[in-house]
mmCIF file of all heavy atoms in Angstrom:
data_model
loop_
_atom_site.group_PDB
_atom_site.id
_atom_site.type_symbol
_atom_site.label_atom_id
_atom_site.label_comp_id
_atom_site.label_asym_id
_atom_site.label_seq_id
_atom_site.Cartn_x
_atom_site.Cartn_y
_atom_site.Cartn_z
ATOM 1 N N VAL A 1 118.564 107.314 -17.731
ATOM 2 C CA VAL A 1 119.709 108.188 -18.032
ATOM 3 C C VAL A 1 121.026 107.449 -17.943
ATOM 4 O O VAL A 1 121.797 107.389 -18.926
ATOM 5 C CB VAL A 1 119.742 109.451 -17.143
ATOM 6 C CG1 VAL A 1 120.950 110.286 -17.419
ATOM 7 C CG2 VAL A 1 118.455 110.250 -17.283
ATOM 8 N N SER A 2 121.298 106.861 -16.783
ATOM 9 C CA SER A 2 122.578 106.231 -16.595
ATOM 10 C C SER A 2 122.517 105.313 -15.388
ATOM 11 O O SER A 2 121.648 105.474 -14.503
ATOM 12 C CB SER A 2 123.689 107.309 -16.393
ATOM 13 O OG SER A 2 124.958 106.732 -16.265
ATOM 14 N N ALA A 3 123.451 104.357 -15.323
ATOM 15 C CA ALA A 3 123.508 103.441 -14.198
ATOM 16 C C ALA A 3 124.944 102.958 -14.017
ATOM 17 O O ALA A 3 125.717 102.979 -14.951
ATOM 18 C CB ALA A 3 122.557 102.271 -14.351
ATOM 19 N N ILE A 4 125.236 102.514 -12.815
ATOM 20 C CA ILE A 4 126.542 101.963 -12.475
ATOM 21 C C ILE A 4 126.288 100.781 -11.562
ATOM 22 O O ILE A 4 125.484 100.844 -10.651
ATOM 23 C CB ILE A 4 127.447 103.006 -11.851
ATOM 24 C CG1 ILE A 4 128.887 102.456 -11.665
ATOM 25 C CG2 ILE A 4 126.901 103.535 -10.553
ATOM 26 C CD1 ILE A 4 129.896 103.553 -11.356
ATOM 27 N N ASN A 5 127.006 99.663 -11.850
ATOM 28 C CA ASN A 5 126.717 98.452 -11.048
ATOM 29 C C ASN A 5 127.371 98.589 -9.637
ATOM 30 O O ASN A 5 128.058 99.524 -9.333
ATOM 31 C CB ASN A 5 127.168 97.208 -11.799
ATOM 32 C CG ASN A 5 128.685 97.030 -11.818
ATOM 33 O OD1 ASN A 5 129.449 97.959 -11.567
ATOM 34 N ND2 ASN A 5 129.137 95.793 -12.072
ATOM 35 N N TRP A 6 127.080 97.564 -8.814
ATOM 36 C CA TRP A 6 127.465 97.653 -7.432
ATOM 37 C C TRP A 6 128.974 97.756 -7.212
ATOM 38 O O TRP A 6 129.416 98.371 -6.246
ATOM 39 C CB TRP A 6 126.905 96.481 -6.631
ATOM 40 C CG TRP A 6 127.449 95.148 -7.079
ATOM 41 C CD1 TRP A 6 126.941 94.314 -8.037
ATOM 42 C CD2 TRP A 6 128.611 94.473 -6.574
ATOM 43 N NE1 TRP A 6 127.739 93.177 -8.144
ATOM 44 C CE2 TRP A 6 128.762 93.286 -7.241
ATOM 45 C CE3 TRP A 6 129.583 94.841 -5.595
ATOM 46 C CZ2 TRP A 6 129.797 92.377 -6.984
ATOM 47 C CZ3 TRP A 6 130.612 93.938 -5.335
ATOM 48 C CH2 TRP A 6 130.710 92.727 -6.044
ATOM 49 N N SER A 7 129.744 97.165 -8.081
ATOM 50 C CA SER A 7 131.199 97.183 -7.938
ATOM 51 C C SER A 7 131.840 98.406 -8.586
ATOM 52 O O SER A 7 133.002 98.712 -8.367
ATOM 53 C CB SER A 7 131.813 95.934 -8.601
ATOM 54 O OG SER A 7 131.699 95.948 -9.992
ATOM 55 N N GLY A 8 131.064 99.120 -9.431
ATOM 56 C CA GLY A 8 131.604 100.229 -10.137
ATOM 57 C C GLY A 8 132.291 99.874 -11.434
ATOM 58 O O GLY A 8 132.819 100.757 -12.148
ATOM 59 N N GLY A 9 132.323 98.577 -11.769
ATOM 60 C CA GLY A 9 133.027 98.119 -12.940
ATOM 61 C C GLY A 9 132.272 98.280 -14.252
ATOM 62 O O GLY A 9 132.921 98.121 -15.334
ATOM 63 N N SER A 10 131.014 98.532 -14.237
ATOM 64 C CA SER A 10 130.215 98.642 -15.453
ATOM 65 C C SER A 10 129.341 99.900 -15.361
ATOM 66 O O SER A 10 128.717 100.109 -14.323
ATOM 67 C CB SER A 10 129.336 97.404 -15.687
ATOM 68 O OG SER A 10 130.123 96.231 -15.817
ATOM 69 N N THR A 11 129.260 100.606 -16.468
ATOM 70 C CA THR A 11 128.399 101.795 -16.536
ATOM 71 C C THR A 11 127.548 101.675 -17.781
ATOM 72 O O THR A 11 127.878 101.031 -18.762
ATOM 73 C CB THR A 11 129.207 103.073 -16.578
ATOM 74 O OG1 THR A 11 130.122 103.047 -17.684
ATOM 75 C CG2 THR A 11 130.017 103.262 -15.288
ATOM 76 N N TYR A 12 126.392 102.382 -17.744
ATOM 77 C CA TYR A 12 125.421 102.346 -18.799
ATOM 78 C C TYR A 12 124.888 103.740 -19.013
ATOM 79 O O TYR A 12 124.686 104.495 -18.039
ATOM 80 C CB TYR A 12 124.257 101.408 -18.424
ATOM 81 C CG TYR A 12 124.688 99.998 -18.101
ATOM 82 C CD1 TYR A 12 125.106 99.726 -16.768
ATOM 83 C CD2 TYR A 12 124.713 98.991 -19.029
ATOM 84 C CE1 TYR A 12 125.537 98.440 -16.446
ATOM 85 C CE2 TYR A 12 125.144 97.705 -18.697
ATOM 86 C CZ TYR A 12 125.566 97.452 -17.380
ATOM 87 O OH TYR A 12 125.993 96.196 -17.052
ATOM 88 N N TYR A 13 124.595 104.077 -20.297
ATOM 89 C CA TYR A 13 124.115 105.381 -20.625
ATOM 90 C C TYR A 13 123.055 105.243 -21.723
ATOM 91 O O TYR A 13 123.131 104.429 -22.599
ATOM 92 C CB TYR A 13 125.212 106.290 -21.150
ATOM 93 C CG TYR A 13 126.340 106.547 -20.145
ATOM 94 C CD1 TYR A 13 127.463 105.751 -20.132
ATOM 95 C CD2 TYR A 13 126.216 107.580 -19.198
ATOM 96 C CE1 TYR A 13 128.480 105.994 -19.193
ATOM 97 C CE2 TYR A 13 127.221 107.820 -18.265
ATOM 98 C CZ TYR A 13 128.343 106.994 -18.294
ATOM 99 O OH TYR A 13 129.358 107.264 -17.392
ATOM 100 N N SER A 14 122.075 106.149 -21.611
ATOM 101 C CA SER A 14 121.137 106.272 -22.722
ATOM 102 C C SER A 14 121.793 106.928 -23.911
ATOM 103 O O SER A 14 122.792 107.660 -23.759
ATOM 104 C CB SER A 14 119.886 107.060 -22.330
ATOM 105 O OG SER A 14 120.262 108.426 -22.113
ATOM 106 N N ASP A 15 121.296 106.665 -25.113
ATOM 107 C CA ASP A 15 121.844 107.285 -26.292
ATOM 108 C C ASP A 15 121.773 108.805 -26.248
ATOM 109 O O ASP A 15 122.669 109.505 -26.785
ATOM 110 C CB ASP A 15 121.142 106.803 -27.546
ATOM 111 C CG ASP A 15 121.417 105.354 -27.864
ATOM 112 O OD1 ASP A 15 122.449 104.813 -27.384
ATOM 113 O OD2 ASP A 15 120.609 104.751 -28.615
ATOM 114 N N ALA A 16 120.784 109.334 -25.565
ATOM 115 C CA ALA A 16 120.576 110.758 -25.518
ATOM 116 C C ALA A 16 121.697 111.491 -24.744
ATOM 117 O O ALA A 16 121.945 112.660 -25.001
ATOM 118 C CB ALA A 16 119.223 111.095 -24.868
ATOM 119 N N VAL A 17 122.312 110.785 -23.772
ATOM 120 C CA VAL A 17 123.329 111.475 -22.971
ATOM 121 C C VAL A 17 124.728 110.905 -23.152
ATOM 122 O O VAL A 17 125.665 111.503 -22.619
ATOM 123 C CB VAL A 17 122.954 111.406 -21.447
ATOM 124 C CG1 VAL A 17 121.540 111.901 -21.234
ATOM 125 C CG2 VAL A 17 123.106 109.976 -20.916
ATOM 126 N N LYS A 18 124.868 109.850 -23.893
ATOM 127 C CA LYS A 18 126.175 109.230 -24.085
ATOM 128 C C LYS A 18 127.186 110.234 -24.674
ATOM 129 O O LYS A 18 126.891 110.928 -25.651
ATOM 130 C CB LYS A 18 126.022 107.977 -24.988
ATOM 131 C CG LYS A 18 127.286 107.126 -25.039
ATOM 132 C CD LYS A 18 126.986 105.846 -25.813
ATOM 133 C CE LYS A 18 125.859 105.043 -25.143
ATOM 134 N NZ LYS A 18 125.551 103.755 -25.903
ATOM 135 N N GLY A 19 128.369 110.266 -24.084
ATOM 136 C CA GLY A 19 129.387 111.194 -24.515
ATOM 137 C C GLY A 19 129.349 112.557 -23.818
ATOM 138 O O GLY A 19 130.308 113.294 -23.915
ATOM 139 N N ARG A 20 128.244 112.839 -23.104
ATOM 140 C CA ARG A 20 128.110 114.098 -22.411
ATOM 141 C C ARG A 20 128.058 113.890 -20.903
ATOM 142 O O ARG A 20 128.516 114.783 -20.154
ATOM 143 C CB ARG A 20 126.850 114.883 -22.869
ATOM 144 C CG ARG A 20 126.913 115.249 -24.363
ATOM 145 C CD ARG A 20 125.716 116.103 -24.768
ATOM 146 N NE ARG A 20 124.430 115.444 -24.540
ATOM 147 C CZ ARG A 20 123.491 115.871 -23.702
ATOM 148 N NH1 ARG A 20 123.675 116.952 -23.005
ATOM 149 N NH2 ARG A 20 122.347 115.174 -23.618
ATOM 150 N N PHE A 21 127.421 112.849 -20.463
ATOM 151 C CA PHE A 21 127.246 112.590 -19.025
ATOM 152 C C PHE A 21 128.175 111.498 -18.559
ATOM 153 O O PHE A 21 128.508 110.537 -19.317
ATOM 154 C CB PHE A 21 125.814 112.172 -18.719
ATOM 155 C CG PHE A 21 124.761 113.227 -18.885
ATOM 156 C CD1 PHE A 21 125.043 114.455 -19.486
ATOM 157 C CD2 PHE A 21 123.468 112.975 -18.438
ATOM 158 C CE1 PHE A 21 124.095 115.415 -19.635
ATOM 159 C CE2 PHE A 21 122.502 113.963 -18.598
ATOM 160 C CZ PHE A 21 122.791 115.169 -19.193
ATOM 161 N N THR A 22 128.634 111.538 -17.322
ATOM 162 C CA THR A 22 129.467 110.517 -16.756
ATOM 163 C C THR A 22 128.966 110.162 -15.351
ATOM 164 O O THR A 22 128.786 111.065 -14.489
ATOM 165 C CB THR A 22 130.902 110.963 -16.629
ATOM 166 O OG1 THR A 22 131.386 111.339 -17.933
ATOM 167 C CG2 THR A 22 131.817 109.868 -16.080
ATOM 168 N N ILE A 23 128.733 108.884 -15.108
ATOM 169 C CA ILE A 23 128.298 108.438 -13.776
ATOM 170 C C ILE A 23 129.512 107.875 -13.040
ATOM 171 O O ILE A 23 130.375 107.210 -13.656
ATOM 172 C CB ILE A 23 127.164 107.388 -13.908
ATOM 173 C CG1 ILE A 23 126.545 107.130 -12.549
ATOM 174 C CG2 ILE A 23 127.653 106.125 -14.570
ATOM 175 C CD1 ILE A 23 125.254 106.299 -12.612
ATOM 176 N N SER A 24 129.564 108.080 -11.749
ATOM 177 C CA SER A 24 130.609 107.542 -10.918
ATOM 178 C C SER A 24 130.047 107.278 -9.530
ATOM 179 O O SER A 24 128.988 107.781 -9.186
ATOM 180 C CB SER A 24 131.832 108.456 -10.906
ATOM 181 O OG SER A 24 131.524 109.716 -10.362
ATOM 182 N N ARG A 25 130.813 106.561 -8.714
ATOM 183 C CA ARG A 25 130.323 106.294 -7.384
ATOM 184 C C ARG A 25 131.475 106.185 -6.388
ATOM 185 O O ARG A 25 132.637 105.888 -6.783
ATOM 186 C CB ARG A 25 129.479 105.032 -7.345
ATOM 187 C CG ARG A 25 130.264 103.735 -7.570
ATOM 188 C CD ARG A 25 129.315 102.565 -7.558
ATOM 189 N NE ARG A 25 128.578 102.399 -6.289
ATOM 190 C CZ ARG A 25 127.545 101.673 -6.134
ATOM 191 N NH1 ARG A 25 127.029 100.945 -7.135
ATOM 192 N NH2 ARG A 25 126.910 101.599 -4.931
ATOM 193 N N GLU A 26 131.183 106.492 -5.138
ATOM 194 C CA GLU A 26 132.098 106.262 -4.065
ATOM 195 C C GLU A 26 131.465 105.181 -3.195
ATOM 196 O O GLU A 26 130.541 105.428 -2.436
ATOM 197 C CB GLU A 26 132.324 107.511 -3.234
ATOM 198 C CG GLU A 26 132.945 108.636 -4.051
ATOM 199 C CD GLU A 26 133.135 109.921 -3.237
ATOM 200 O OE1 GLU A 26 132.958 109.868 -1.996
ATOM 201 O OE2 GLU A 26 133.505 110.947 -3.807
ATOM 202 N N ASN A 27 131.956 103.959 -3.346
ATOM 203 C CA ASN A 27 131.326 102.825 -2.683
ATOM 204 C C ASN A 27 131.300 102.893 -1.180
ATOM 205 O O ASN A 27 130.317 102.517 -0.543
ATOM 206 C CB ASN A 27 132.004 101.504 -3.125
ATOM 207 C CG ASN A 27 131.772 101.156 -4.577
ATOM 208 O OD1 ASN A 27 130.725 101.456 -5.132
ATOM 209 N ND2 ASN A 27 132.729 100.497 -5.217
#
């Protein structure tokens, strides 16, 4: 579905959810 790297600087989304879902983190 989605991923975020350890620093929070890069995010990834599947085509199925891109534009609708947002991943974020509190390190």
Side-chain angles (χ1 to χ4, degrees):
V1 176
S2 186
I4 186 166
N5 75 342
W6 64 269
S7 70
S10 298
T11 58
Y12 306 84
Y13 299 94
S14 69
D15 290 339
V17 308
K18 192 173 298 182
R20 299 186 297 118
F21 292 10
T22 303
I23 191 170
S24 61
R25 70 183 300 165
E26 298 179 10
N27 290 329

